[in-house]
Amino acid sequence: LPALAVWCAASIGWSGLPDRSWDYANRTILYGLFAAVGLWAAGRTRALANGLAILLGAVIVWSLLGKVLPFFYDYSGPDVTRLRGPIGLWNQLAVLGAFALPLALWRRRLAGTLLAYGWIVALLLTYSRGGILTALAAVAAWLALTDERVEGAATLVAAAVPGGVVVAVAFALPGVTSDGQSSHIRWRDGLIFGLLLLAGGAAAVVLERLPRPRVPALRRGPLAAALLLAGAAVLFV
């Protein structure tokens, strides 16, 4: 890749389209840099996954705080009800959830459960159908390919049950999920939503600490195929 980049750059001297040659040189340099990062990261996947989980945890805390404390993110203009801070677009925020949920199921325990809980709430509040379907497909693929699917499924249930309840109640709070609300209503309902988030997080922790069910070992192949087919069906509906 570095040699190809040098060749593309040198070809500017005789190229009939030197601007295109320079574009190709820049693109090849970028490919080379990404390849170098990949080689550097090859032996550090666990540390990188943990770092990404921490980063996505910070994003979701900031995002949900925008609904609890209105000054954290200015929800004005059209579609103010859709959760989109701090990214700026609800679909992009939902796509981050598709990355976060498999990481949360991999982490499991307290940290993974809270990460999954926060992102499940956020995904539902983005109203992003494509983002939610992509997240479902990612979770299905992870459960199909891991050997720890029982623990991962338990973490998912512990996060999804209180998360669903919190979002259901949020739809009854116009300051959180309705347009055209005054600052007073947004503050009032935002603080109520914040208390709901804390209560839901506490419930997720309690559910996570319940004993895991004991199930016999399942054949990996058929289960993986079934879950992957289900994920693909969900994604392309």
Side-chain angles (χ1 to χ4, degrees), residues 141-149 216-228:
W142 188 89
L143 290 173
L145 298 174
T146 184
D147 290 326
E148 300 172 341
R149 59 184 61 90
L218 299 174
R219 290 185 178 180
R220 184 185 178 117
L223 180 62
L227 288 174
L228 284 175

Side-chain angles (χ1 to χ4, degrees), residues 23-182:
D23 288 342
Y24 277 106
N26 283 337
R27 187 180 304 171
T28 309
I29 291 171
L30 186 62
Y31 290 160
L33 291 175
F34 271 102
V37 170
L39 291 172
W40 174 84
R44 300 172 172 84
T45 52
R46 186 178 185 87
L48 289 171
N50 283 323
L52 184 59
I54 292 172
L55 178 62
L56 291 171
V59 169
I60 197 56
V61 169
W62 186 282
S63 180
L64 293 175
L65 276 177
K67 287 292 188 180
V68 177
L69 304 173
F71 66 84
F72 260 85
Y73 192 84
D74 181 22
Y75 283 92
S76 57
D79 290 316
V80 300
T81 59
R82 291 188 172 195
L83 189 70
R84 62 179 187 270
I87 305 300
L89 186 64
W90 45 87
N91 286 328
Q92 293 173 348
L93 183 64
V95 168
L96 289 184
F99 287 97
L101 286 179
L103 281 173
L105 301 186
W106 166 71
R107 286 283 304 173
R108 302 191 308 276
R109 300 185 178 86
L110 179 62
T113 301
L114 291 178
L115 182 63
Y117 164 73
W119 275 104
I120 287 171
V121 172
L123 275 167
L124 295 175
L125 289 180
T126 61
Y127 308 162
S128 174
R129 291 167 294 180
I132 293 172
L133 293 178
T134 303
L136 289 173
V139 168
W142 188 89
L143 290 173
L145 298 174
T146 184
D147 290 326
E148 300 172 341
R149 59 184 61 90
V150 174
E151 293 81 0
T155 298
L156 183 63
V157 171
V161 171
V165 172
V166 168
V167 173
V169 177
F171 284 124
L173 300 174
V176 176
T177 55
S178 297
D179 295 335
Q181 303 301 313
S182 66

